[in-house]
Amino acid sequence: MYLFYIDESGEIAYNSGSKYFVFNALGIDSGNWKNINHQVNNLKMAIFKTDDAPILEIKSNWIRFPQERNKREYLSSLNSDELKQLSNGLFDIIINNDCVLISIVINKDSLLRKYGIYKPEPNIFAIQYLMERISLYMNINHKNENAIIIMDKCSDSIEKMLNKTHTLQLEAGYSWKGIKNIIENIMFVDSQYNNFIQLTDLCAYNINRAFKDDNPNYEFFKRILPKFSYNIKNGLINGAGITYKIKEYFENDNPQMYKFLITYKNENSVLPNGKYTA
């Protein structure tokens, strides 16, 4: 069984001032759950030095911005070295464990240009494509296993809307690829009590930041690049680990990210004979 934890970065509303909306999925084999969870809890215990450490929530924005840390005593009391140790430790856990990242990047301006008054909700648009990519990844890499989708809790109305979309996809499929290897409804959990939602939040922010700045060299984005799913035919993560919507606007709207992603290959997947393997 595979577990895919999803969190977003960016605002849903078109008039929010946030151009990008990102849904990022962190996928793990359920057999690795206990070990990875234990690693995160050990890191939290080492940093916060309290028995309550496992339920002290970490969000990317909270680590980065002093005004957010100041709202939470357990973070505001950390010095700069401890903050670096916490941040780097979380990245190390992601990088050094067997997991996969699959992300959908939505440019809300491009949705407006393409659809006008019929524009879709960015989160609904994104979840459809993300489910498709997760299904494709599972069908290629773990076709005899199933996956369950787990997301951070949100409003009741949004949860109902996302699950309605998901349920219809399970039966009909979103595109010609259909939806395979995904079972059950979306499970919504409180991120305070889920280390994996916190890990995928960390990644989602850095993907959003790289696209917002049109900067593929953003340090924390580059660190997680080896974990993205890739196209087994050519090794590229473009359209597999990272899918930009709407793709026909990609080159004009994010020229540096476009140039990078159409050539970047996941070198971890290359065999000595130069071929790629899932």
Side-chain angles (χ1 to χ4, degrees), residues 91-114:
F91 276 107
D92 286 343
I93 289 170
I94 294 169
I95 294 164
N96 294 326
N97 281 282
D98 187 8
C99 62
V100 64
L101 297 176
I102 302 174
S103 187
I104 302 295
V105 178
I106 300 294
N107 182 333
K108 292 186 289 184
D109 287 355
S110 72
L111 291 187
L112 285 171
R113 275 177 278 169
K114 186 174 180 70

Short mmCIF file of all heavy atoms in Angstrom, two decimals, residues 91-114:
data_model
loop_
_atom_site.label_atom_id
_atom_site.label_comp_id
_atom_site.label_asym_id
_atom_site.label_seq_id
_atom_site.Cartn_x
_atom_site.Cartn_y
_atom_site.Cartn_z
N PHE A 91 14.73 18.37 5.67
CA PHE A 91 15.14 18.11 4.29
C PHE A 91 15.92 16.81 4.19
O PHE A 91 15.74 16.03 3.24
CB PHE A 91 15.98 19.26 3.74
CG PHE A 91 15.16 20.40 3.20
CD1 PHE A 91 15.05 21.59 3.88
CD2 PHE A 91 14.48 20.27 1.99
CE1 PHE A 91 14.30 22.64 3.38
CE2 PHE A 91 13.72 21.29 1.48
CZ PHE A 91 13.63 22.49 2.17
N ASP A 92 16.79 16.57 5.13
CA ASP A 92 17.59 15.33 5.11
C ASP A 92 16.70 14.10 5.20
O ASP A 92 16.98 13.07 4.55
CB ASP A 92 18.60 15.33 6.27
CG ASP A 92 19.76 16.28 6.04
OD1 ASP A 92 19.97 16.71 4.88
OD2 ASP A 92 20.46 16.62 7.02
N ILE A 93 15.65 14.18 6.00
CA ILE A 93 14.73 13.05 6.13
C ILE A 93 14.05 12.77 4.79
O ILE A 93 13.92 11.62 4.36
CB ILE A 93 13.69 13.32 7.23
CG1 ILE A 93 14.38 13.26 8.61
CG2 ILE A 93 12.54 12.31 7.17
CD1 ILE A 93 13.52 13.74 9.75
N ILE A 94 13.62 13.83 4.11
CA ILE A 94 12.98 13.66 2.80
C ILE A 94 13.98 13.07 1.80
O ILE A 94 13.67 12.12 1.08
CB ILE A 94 12.46 15.02 2.28
CG1 ILE A 94 11.32 15.52 3.17
CG2 ILE A 94 11.99 14.90 0.82
CD1 ILE A 94 10.92 16.96 2.91
N ILE A 95 15.18 13.63 1.77
CA ILE A 95 16.17 13.25 0.75
C ILE A 95 16.71 11.85 0.99
O ILE A 95 16.97 11.11 0.03
CB ILE A 95 17.31 14.29 0.72
CG1 ILE A 95 16.78 15.64 0.23
CG2 ILE A 95 18.46 13.82 -0.16
CD1 ILE A 95 17.70 16.79 0.51
N ASN A 96 16.89 11.46 2.24
CA ASN A 96 17.57 10.20 2.55
C ASN A 96 16.64 9.01 2.72
O ASN A 96 17.10 7.91 3.03
CB ASN A 96 18.41 10.37 3.81
CG ASN A 96 19.55 11.36 3.61
OD1 ASN A 96 20.12 11.45 2.52
ND2 ASN A 96 19.89 12.11 4.65
N ASN A 97 15.35 9.22 2.52
CA ASN A 97 14.41 8.10 2.62
C ASN A 97 13.75 7.83 1.27
O ASN A 97 13.75 8.67 0.37
CB ASN A 97 13.33 8.41 3.67
CG ASN A 97 13.83 8.18 5.08
OD1 ASN A 97 13.93 7.04 5.54
ND2 ASN A 97 14.18 9.26 5.77
N ASP A 98 13.20 6.63 1.15
CA ASP A 98 12.55 6.22 -0.09
C ASP A 98 11.17 6.85 -0.16
O ASP A 98 10.23 6.38 0.50
CB ASP A 98 12.46 4.69 -0.12
CG ASP A 98 11.94 4.17 -1.45
OD1 ASP A 98 11.81 4.98 -2.39
OD2 ASP A 98 11.68 2.96 -1.55
N CYS A 99 11.06 7.91 -0.92
CA CYS A 99 9.78 8.59 -1.10
C CYS A 99 9.78 9.25 -2.47
O CYS A 99 10.81 9.33 -3.14
CB CYS A 99 9.54 9.63 0.01
SG CYS A 99 10.74 10.97 0.06
N VAL A 100 8.61 9.70 -2.91
CA VAL A 100 8.50 10.33 -4.22
C VAL A 100 7.66 11.60 -4.10
O VAL A 100 6.73 11.67 -3.27
CB VAL A 100 7.85 9.36 -5.24
CG1 VAL A 100 6.42 9.02 -4.85
CG2 VAL A 100 7.91 9.93 -6.66
N LEU A 101 8.01 12.60 -4.90
CA LEU A 101 7.26 13.85 -4.95
C LEU A 101 6.58 13.98 -6.31
O LEU A 101 7.20 13.72 -7.35
CB LEU A 101 8.18 15.05 -4.74
CG LEU A 101 8.90 15.16 -3.40
CD1 LEU A 101 9.84 16.36 -3.40
CD2 LEU A 101 7.91 15.26 -2.25
N ILE A 102 5.32 14.37 -6.29
CA ILE A 102 4.56 14.64 -7.51
C ILE A 102 3.80 15.95 -7.27
O ILE A 102 3.07 16.07 -6.29
CB ILE A 102 3.57 13.50 -7.83
CG1 ILE A 102 4.32 12.18 -7.99
CG2 ILE A 102 2.78 13.82 -9.10
CD1 ILE A 102 3.42 10.97 -8.18
N SER A 103 3.99 16.91 -8.16
CA SER A 103 3.47 18.25 -7.91
C SER A 103 2.76 18.81 -9.14
O SER A 103 3.21 18.61 -10.27
CB SER A 103 4.62 19.18 -7.50
OG SER A 103 4.12 20.44 -7.11
N ILE A 104 1.66 19.52 -8.89
CA ILE A 104 0.94 20.25 -9.94
C ILE A 104 1.07 21.74 -9.63
O ILE A 104 0.73 22.18 -8.52
CB ILE A 104 -0.55 19.87 -10.00
CG1 ILE A 104 -0.70 18.36 -10.24
CG2 ILE A 104 -1.27 20.67 -11.09
CD1 ILE A 104 -0.20 17.87 -11.57
N VAL A 105 1.57 22.49 -10.59
CA VAL A 105 1.72 23.94 -10.45
C VAL A 105 0.68 24.63 -11.32
O VAL A 105 0.65 24.44 -12.54
CB VAL A 105 3.14 24.39 -10.87
CG1 VAL A 105 3.27 25.91 -10.76
CG2 VAL A 105 4.20 23.69 -10.02
N ILE A 106 -0.18 25.42 -10.69
CA ILE A 106 -1.23 26.13 -11.40
C ILE A 106 -0.89 27.61 -11.47
O ILE A 106 -0.67 28.26 -10.45
CB ILE A 106 -2.59 25.97 -10.69
CG1 ILE A 106 -2.99 24.49 -10.60
CG2 ILE A 106 -3.67 26.78 -11.41
CD1 ILE A 106 -3.27 23.83 -11.90
N ASN A 107 -0.82 28.14 -12.69
CA ASN A 107 -0.69 29.58 -12.91
C ASN A 107 -2.10 30.14 -13.07
O ASN A 107 -2.75 29.92 -14.10
CB ASN A 107 0.16 29.84 -14.15
CG ASN A 107 0.38 31.33 -14.41
OD1 ASN A 107 -0.44 32.15 -14.02
ND2 ASN A 107 1.48 31.66 -15.06
N LYS A 108 -2.58 30.83 -12.06
CA LYS A 108 -3.97 31.29 -12.09
C LYS A 108 -4.21 32.31 -13.20
O LYS A 108 -5.32 32.38 -13.76
CB LYS A 108 -4.36 31.86 -10.72
CG LYS A 108 -4.43 30.80 -9.64
CD LYS A 108 -4.96 31.35 -8.33
CE LYS A 108 -3.94 32.26 -7.66
NZ LYS A 108 -4.41 32.72 -6.33
N ASP A 109 -3.19 33.08 -13.55
CA ASP A 109 -3.34 34.03 -14.66
C ASP A 109 -3.61 33.30 -15.97
O ASP A 109 -4.41 33.74 -16.80
CB ASP A 109 -2.07 34.88 -14.81
CG ASP A 109 -1.93 35.93 -13.72
OD1 ASP A 109 -2.87 36.04 -12.90
OD2 ASP A 109 -0.91 36.61 -13.68
N SER A 110 -2.96 32.15 -16.16
CA SER A 110 -3.17 31.40 -17.40
C SER A 110 -4.57 30.78 -17.43
O SER A 110 -5.17 30.65 -18.50
CB SER A 110 -2.09 30.33 -17.56
OG SER A 110 -2.26 29.27 -16.65
N LEU A 111 -5.10 30.40 -16.27
CA LEU A 111 -6.48 29.89 -16.23
C LEU A 111 -7.46 30.98 -16.65
O LEU A 111 -8.42 30.72 -17.39
CB LEU A 111 -6.83 29.40 -14.83
CG LEU A 111 -6.15 28.13 -14.32
CD1 LEU A 111 -6.76 27.71 -12.98
CD2 LEU A 111 -6.24 27.00 -15.31
N LEU A 112 -7.21 32.20 -16.20
CA LEU A 112 -8.07 33.32 -16.58
C LEU A 112 -7.98 33.59 -18.07
O LEU A 112 -8.99 33.85 -18.73
CB LEU A 112 -7.67 34.58 -15.80
CG LEU A 112 -8.08 34.63 -14.33
CD1 LEU A 112 -7.42 35.82 -13.63
CD2 LEU A 112 -9.59 34.72 -14.19
N ARG A 113 -6.77 33.53 -18.63
CA ARG A 113 -6.59 33.79 -20.06
C ARG A 113 -7.28 32.72 -20.90
O ARG A 113 -7.88 33.01 -21.93
CB ARG A 113 -5.10 33.83 -20.40
CG ARG A 113 -4.45 35.19 -20.20
CD ARG A 113 -2.96 35.12 -20.48
NE ARG A 113 -2.23 34.61 -19.32
CZ ARG A 113 -0.96 34.25 -19.35
NH1 ARG A 113 -0.27 34.33 -20.48
NH2 ARG A 113 -0.36 33.82 -18.27
N LYS A 114 -7.21 31.48 -20.47
CA LYS A 114 -7.76 30.39 -21.27
C LYS A 114 -9.27 30.25 -21.10
O LYS A 114 -10.00 30.02 -22.07
CB LYS A 114 -7.09 29.06 -20.90
CG LYS A 114 -7.52 27.90 -21.79
CD LYS A 114 -6.73 26.66 -21.50
CE LYS A 114 -7.16 25.49 -22.39
NZ LYS A 114 -6.75 25.71 -23.79
#
